[in-house]
Amino acid sequence: MMNWDSLICDTRFGLEHYVSQHNEGLRSDFQRDYDRLIFSSPFRRLQNKTQVFPLPGSIFVHNRLTHSLEVSGVGRSIANEVAHVLLQKYKSQPWVHKLHAIGEIVAAACLAHDLGNPPFGHSGEKCIATYFSEGDGKKLKPLLDPLEWSDLINFEGNANSFRLLTHRFEGRRDGGFAMTYSTLATIVKYPYSSYFAGQKGKFGFFKSEQDSFKRIADKLGLLQLDENRYCRHPLVYLLEAADDICYQIMDIEDAHKLKILDTSAVIELFTGYIHSSQIEHTKGILLQIGDTNEKVAYLRSCVVGILVSEVAKVFIDNEEEILSGNFSGALIDHIASPAREAYAKCSAVAYSKIYCAGDVVDVELAGNQIITFLMEKLIHAVLNPELNYSKLLLSKFPQQYAVHSDSNYGKIQAVVDHMSGMTDVYALDLYRKLSGMSLPAI
C-alpha cells in the first residue's frame, strides 16, 4: 500500500542533489511550483489555444488558460476538503504535517495538466496521432522501433505535458522545469507507456521520458503493476475530478452564452444537481435575478460547490482502496444521487448538442488541415536537412528543439514539440506563410 509520508515529497526533479535553504514560514516548494508555472511561457500561451469554441470572438468563452486556472481553483478546493479530514485521521503520525501541502500540490498540477496540448482544441491531439496512423506519416513507421511508433500514433497531451516539464530541451537546465516529484506525479493521469494506450489512446509518458517517470514513481513509492505500468499517485484523482467538473459545467455555460443551449434547458440541467430539500430556496434566488447569464452563473456556482463536496467525499470514503491501487474509475463516477444522474445528463447533452455544433466542427476541420500541412512540411525538413528548402525552414525552428538529433525519433519529436507548443494564431500564421497565402510586407 502507498503511504502519504512517501507520496508527499518536495525533492526537485533534476536538482536531487540540492538541499533547499528556504526559511520556514516562506513559500513552500509546492507553492514555488505553482508560481513557476503561472509565470512560464507555455502557460501564457494557453490563452491563445482553443478549449472547445472558436477564439477570439465578441462573446467570451473559455480558452485553455482560463480553463486551467478554474481547474486549479476547483482542484485546490477539493484537496483542502480532503486534507481537512486526513489531518484528523492521521494526527498521531509524525508526518501528518505533510498533508497540509495537498492543496498546494493539486493546485500546481492542475495548472500544468494541459500544457502539452496542441492548438485547435481536443481535436489537435487526434490530428497529430492520425497523421501517423492514417496520413502521410504512415511511411515513417520503418524508421522507428515499435514503442516509438506507438508513442506517435497514440499522441497524448497528458504525456506531452510530462515531457514539457521534465525534458531537458536545448539550452535548458537539467530537469526541465525542475518541479517537485509530487507535483509531477500528480499530473500523470495514465501512469503507463503507450503500449497500454488501448482504444482510447491514453498513456502518461513517451519512451523518451519513461526512465524519468520510473525515477519519480520509485521515489514516491507508487505501486508498480509491471515493468511499464504503475498505479496512479492518489492526488491524480483530485486533479481528474477538478478537470471533469470544469470542462463539463463550463462547456454548458459557454454553450448558453453562444445560444447553442437556451436558458430553460440549462436551468433544467443545473437544477438537477440540487437536492430536493434545497430546490425551493434555489428557485427563490433565481426569481431575484433578472439577467439570464447571471441566473446560469449562479446555478453553475451551486453545481460546482455540490460536485466539489461529492468528489471529496468519494475520495475520503475510498482512501484506503486508492492507496492500495484497487480503486476503479474516476471519482466523478462514484458520486451520489441526484448529482450522478444530473452529471450524466449534462454529458449526454454536451456530446449531442455542443461538441457537434457547427462552429466547433469548423475549428476541428480547419485545425486538421493546418496541423496536417505543417506536420508534413516540418517532418520532411528535419529528415532531409540537406535540402535548400529544409535549410530555410529549419532556420525558423525555435532553438530549443533538437532538429539535428542523432535519431529519427528525436527529430520527429522535435517537430511534435514545436507543433504542440504553437497557439492557434501562430499555427494559422505559419500555415499561411508556408502555403504562400501570406507574405510579409515589402
Side-chain angles (χ1 to χ4, degrees), residues 51 59 69 127 131 226 263 311 319 327 381:
Q51 176 68 15
I59 299 175
L69 288 169
C127 184
Y131 170 79
D226 56 40
T263 304
V311 295
E319 183 221 356
F327 185 74

Side-chain angles (χ1 to χ4, degrees), residues 229-265:
R229 287 193 305 156
Y230 285 81
C231 289
R232 285 175 160 185
H233 191 293
L235 298 185
V236 172
Y237 287 98
L238 305 186
L239 177 149
E240 180 182 53
D243 194 26
D244 288 342
I245 291 169
C246 287
Y247 80 74
Q248 191 70 267
I249 304 308
M250 308 311 174
D251 286 353
I252 289 176
E253 185 177 12
D254 282 349
H256 174 259
K257 290 179 180 178
L258 294 170
K259 302 189 185 305
I260 295 171
L261 297 176
D262 62 36
T263 304
S264 60

Side-chain angles (χ1 to χ4, degrees), residues 78 241 244-245 248-249 273 302-312 332 335 339-340 343:
I78 299 169
D244 288 342
I245 291 169
Q248 191 70 267
I249 304 308
Y273 287 87
C302 294
V303 171
V304 171
I306 290 167
L307 289 175
V308 164
S309 296
E310 287 289 339
V311 295
I332 203 78
I335 59 176
R340 183 174 65 249
Y343 189 87

Side-chain angles (χ1 to χ4, degrees), residues 169-170 374-383 385 389-405 410-422 426 430 434:
F169 290 96
E170 299 289 322
L374 293 178
M375 291 286 290
E376 178 184 345
K377 294 293 185 184
L378 297 174
I379 288 178
H380 183 267
V382 298
L383 296 180
Y389 182 80
S390 297
K391 293 177 181 177
L392 291 172
L393 191 49
L394 291 176
S395 71
K396 301 292 290 182
F397 256 82
Q399 293 182 354
Q400 70 192 76
Y401 302 130
V403 295
H404 301 295
S405 172
K411 291 175 182 177
I412 294 170
Q413 270 198 312
V415 172
V416 175
D417 289 334
H418 186 25
M419 189 73 247
S420 60
M422 294 181 189
Y426 182 95
L430 185 60
L434 296 186

Side-chain angles (χ1 to χ4, degrees), residues 133-160:
S133 63
E134 300 176 6
D136 288 346
K138 285 192 297 184
K139 62 188 178 185
L140 302 173
K141 185 176 181 179
L143 303 179
L144 305 164
D145 71 31
L147 183 54
E148 292 168 349
W149 182 245
S150 178
D151 285 350
L152 297 176
I153 63 174
N154 294 294
F155 175 81
E156 218 286 328
N158 191 238
N160 202 45

Side-chain angles (χ1 to χ4, degrees), residues 10 12 25 32 100 121 129 152 171 179 187 265 310 370 384 415 428:
D10 60 7
R12 291 199 172 278
R32 291 174 189 277
H100 287 288
L152 297 176
M179 307 289 284
I187 291 163
E310 287 289 339
I370 293 167
N384 301 277
V415 172
L428 175 58

